[in-house]
Amino acid sequence: MSSSELTVTGTGVVSGFAYAPAAWTRERPVPPSTTKTLAEEDRPAEVERFKAASAAVGQRLSERASASSGVAAEVLAATANLATDRGWVRAASKLINNGAAAETAATAATEQFVEMFTKVGGLMAERVTDLRDVRDRVIAELMGLPEPGVPTPDQPVILLADDLAPADTAGLDPSLILGIVTRLGGPTSHTSIIARQLGIPCVVAAANLRAVPDGSPILVDGSAGTVTLGVPVEEAEAKVHADEARRRAIRTWTGPAQTKDGVLVDVLANVQDGAGARLAAETSEARGVGLFRTELCFLSAQTEPSVAEQARIYGEVFAAFPGQKVVVRTLDAGSDKPVPFANHEHEENPALGVRGIRLQLNNPGLLERQLDAIAQAAEDAGVDRPWVMAPMIATVDEARAFAALCHDRNLKPGIMVEVPAVALLADEFLAEVEFFSIGTNDLTQYAMAADRMSSPLANLTDPWQPAVLRLIKMAADAGRRAGKPVGVCGEAAAAPHLACVLVGLGVTSLSMAASAIAAVGVQLQSVTLEQCQRAAEAVLACATVEQTKAVAAELLG
Ligand code: PEP
Ligand code: MG
């Protein structure tokens, strides 16, 4: 690093390097602050002025929707609808009829909806950015200003923003926008989704991004989550070229996943239903399913599906991978995955509440019926002793009770390692069950006491945290002692360098989104098992998350 370099760090959500001048999104308009009440006779014309502006914005967004395709078209059309939404226009018109200027009314009407959406929470709360985006477009139109948001560059740039609204990101041209960095947002925000779809490097939650001036050349590293100013041009371009070669290798990679010295690695897919399993089987080199999240089949189910209906649904996943390993997880309902028919009453702290196995054990018959359905589906598919695991296990007694229910039905019992208690008592737990699957998403959340959904805490909810790596080692070591498999099915398995470290720690399978498999395969084939083991040893000696990443990157290339 040269002495004039400045690095801003955020959360990397799409890996890869990009180097180009920074281009900040155009400022949002500042409406005139007026408390003057409009004269009664001017109000009808002001309502018409507001309606004309919202119609013009809606029309422009619709035209862009027609010129786009796929997700971009859907997002633009949805935003166009918001601009002319009857409820919003009515609320603003009412305010104007009470004497407010159109710009003031647009702001106040939007805030009414923002408050409502925020109260509802979840997906509705995520639409707040869209609402405010529409408000700003309409205000700019009212003030005769250019539309705020993404500039139209005449040379490739890296787009910088506080946050991007869907309408900003939809229709971006990846030959002109080489990367995206936002000050806010999280791994599941619209920005991340669109960047993933475009395949351009993306970093979110970069708190100090304002330190990067418009127009300055920057190097974005989407896996480290960094933005660096002042990198010598040749150095930056070498990184971008190497990255292009890596992306080409990913596009053309074919399995099986193995290290450079030919050690096969069991790489599996995470799926949520039959359609997802079929897609994984058709489009990836997955050798089976390492995590079937059954709760995701029932997110809108008001009543518990019958055993026969459940068996039909689970059977689709067995059918997608005939003769291959399929690990079914029993309902992980609660917290961030509410399942209406199973959920517990409102809790102050749902991530620490009655979720996963706690819900099942307290809901008479729910778990038994699900296990019956899994056994039925396996029998129909000709699978003997299917792998079944329980989420959120915290005590040896829970593991024993779960294993007993599995044994009664000829199912192979395993548990997720998500609660640190399981890693700490790994030998005792493995005496009860036949395998572990480490859920690094929750294991990190609970080890670091940091909500996995929180964007400001992204640095803590990083599975590269040394404490998390040591817990993984404890689980892997216990597996080796007991001669039982220990897989990883959290997001950590999908991060190429971390996947190598996990192999070095002795993890016996890696399960991830099917779309992540090729990148992990390419990384694995570039290193030997010994290199993975050395990287594992080195990260275990680290005290900070920055060190674990840096030493692994150095040893794994
Ligand atoms: C995990 O916690 O890492 C995991 C795989 O489970 P989920 O993400 O479904 O909670
Ligand atoms: Mg989990």
Side-chain angles (χ1 to χ4, degrees):
M1 189 191 275
S2 87
S3 57
S4 57
E5 283 182 18
L6 165 75
T7 298
V8 173
T9 306
T11 303
V13 288
V14 182
S15 64
F17 283 91
Y19 181 66
W24 276 93
T25 47
R26 275 201 298 265
E27 287 295 312
R28 303 270 149 196
V30 181
S33 60
T34 168
T35 47
K36 226 175 66 202
T37 306
L38 278 182
E40 206 139 336
E41 66 271 22
D42 295 336
R43 293 176 192 174
E46 190 72 350
V47 169
E48 287 317 308
R49 195 168 78 87
F50 174 82
K51 285 185 177 167
S54 64
V57 169
Q59 172 74 17
R60 262 201 306 275
L61 289 165
S62 298
E63 280 164 13
R64 282 176 58 200
S66 318
S68 315
S69 60
V71 177
E74 280 168 32
V75 165
L76 285 165
T79 314
N81 285 341
L82 276 182
T84 50
D85 177 78
R86 283 228 295 273
W88 185 63
V89 172
R90 207 179 303 123
S93 303
K94 191 169 163 200
L95 290 160
I96 297 171
N97 281 325
N98 286 336
E103 291 86 345
T104 317
T107 307
T110 305
E111 286 317 300
Q112 289 173 8
F113 282 86
V114 164
E115 196 182 322
M116 203 159 76
F117 281 24
T118 310
K119 268 203 196 117
V120 177
L123 285 178
M124 292 299 271
E126 284 179 19
R127 301 222 68 192
V128 163
T129 312
D130 315 17
L131 285 173
R132 293 200 168 123
D133 174 61
V134 163
R135 172 201 63 194
D136 291 342
R137 286 170 198 273
V138 172
I139 291 177
E141 179 72 21
L142 286 165
M143 295 172 71
L145 297 172
E147 202 156 343
V150 178
T152 316
D154 48 16
Q155 59 157 337
V157 293
I158 292 166
L159 186 61
L160 266 50
D162 282 341
D163 203 357
L164 286 172
D168 288 331
T169 49
L172 287 183
D173 177 354
S175 62
L176 282 176
I177 307 291
L178 303 185
I180 302 179
V181 189
T182 60
R183 198 169 62 79
L184 307 170
T188 54
S189 60
H190 275 289
T191 306
S192 313
I193 293 165
I194 297 281
R196 241 175 244 127
Q197 197 196 353
L198 292 173
I200 56 177
C202 178
V203 175
V204 297
N208 297 324
L209 193 61
R210 285 268 164 212
V212 178
D214 197 51
S216 49
I218 51 173
L219 179 69
V220 174
D221 179 346
S223 46
T226 54
V227 179
T228 310
L229 281 139
V231 182
V233 180
E234 313 75 59
E235 193 186 310
E237 286 180 346
K239 287 196 167 147
V240 171
H241 289 148
D243 183 53
E244 279 163 4
R246 184 185 66 89
R247 287 198 231 179
R248 259 196 310 280
I250 291 170
R251 278 197 300 275
T252 54
W253 180 79
T254 51
Q258 56 186 320
T259 58
K260 196 174 175 177
D261 49 337
V263 178
L264 286 173
V265 179
D266 204 12
V267 171
L268 308 162
N270 290 352
V271 305
Q272 62 180 65
D273 54 19
R278 288 189 289 276
L279 190 71
E282 283 158 22
T283 61
S284 81
E285 297 281 346
R287 298 185 353 156
V289 170
L291 169 63
F292 172 16
R293 289 181 162 105
T294 57
E295 66 281 356
L296 298 186
C297 301
F298 307 120
L299 290 182
S300 55
Q302 299 299 322
T303 52
E304 184 188 334
S306 66
V307 169
E309 174 60 4
Q310 288 189 53
R312 188 192 62 73
I313 293 168
Y314 307 150
E316 286 192 30
V317 175
F318 285 119
F321 284 92
Q324 286 169 296
K325 175 172 164 182
V326 172
V327 184
V328 185
R329 178 172 74 183
T330 58
L331 288 178
D332 185 21
S335 192
D336 55 327
K337 289 171 290 193
V339 172
F341 68 79
N343 253 35
H344 195 65
E345 65 221 33
H346 173 78
E347 292 172 294
E348 285 301 319
N349 224 334
L352 298 178
V354 184
R355 64 168 288 204
I357 193 72
R358 299 166 185 183
L359 246 176
Q360 302 167 20
L361 291 175
N362 289 335
N363 192 335
L366 180 66
L367 176 60
E368 286 84 344
R369 287 188 292 276
Q370 188 179 22
L371 293 176
D372 287 343
I374 297 167
Q376 183 64 55
E379 193 186 322
D380 295 345
V383 178
D384 185 39
R385 289 200 87 228
W387 302 58
V388 181
M389 64 183 177
M392 291 298 297
I393 292 281
T395 70
V396 173
D397 288 340
E398 287 167 350
R400 188 181 304 119
F402 179 74
L405 293 174
C406 288
H407 289 142
D408 291 345
R409 294 164 176 80
N410 195 31
L411 307 170
K412 181 180 177 113
I415 57 170
M416 302 265 311
V417 181
E418 293 168 301
V419 180
V422 179
L424 294 168
L425 288 184
D427 292 316
E428 286 78 358
F429 278 94
L430 272 182
E432 304 296 336
V433 294
E434 296 183 36
F435 67 97
F436 273 170
S437 183
I438 306 176
T440 47
N441 308 337
D442 277 315
L443 185 62
T444 308
Q445 155 165 275
Y446 297 124
M448 303 307 294
D451 185 342
R452 62 192 267 186
M453 311 288 277
S454 164
S455 153
L457 301 182
N459 189 47
L460 292 178
T461 52
D462 188 332
W464 283 100
Q465 283 287 351
V468 177
L469 297 170
R470 289 193 203 180
L471 289 169
I472 295 172
K473 175 175 162 53
M474 293 168 102
D477 284 351
R480 203 164 22 232
R481 284 192 291 274
K484 295 183 179 178
V486 176
V488 170
C489 63
E491 290 306 304
H497 276 168
L498 191 44
C500 297
V501 169
L502 295 173
V503 169
L505 285 169
V507 159
T508 55
S509 66
L510 301 171
S511 191
M512 65 199 78
S515 57
I517 289 178
V520 169
V522 166
Q523 181 64 43
L524 283 168
Q525 79 186 8
S526 73
V527 294
T528 61
L529 178 62
E530 199 199 326
Q531 250 178 301
C532 295
Q533 287 165 337
R534 263 191 280 130
E537 216 172 285
V539 297
L540 290 172
C542 293
T544 71
V545 69
E546 291 79 16
Q547 286 168 2
T548 57
K549 287 183 189 180
V551 296
E554 196 182 316
L555 292 167
L556 298 167

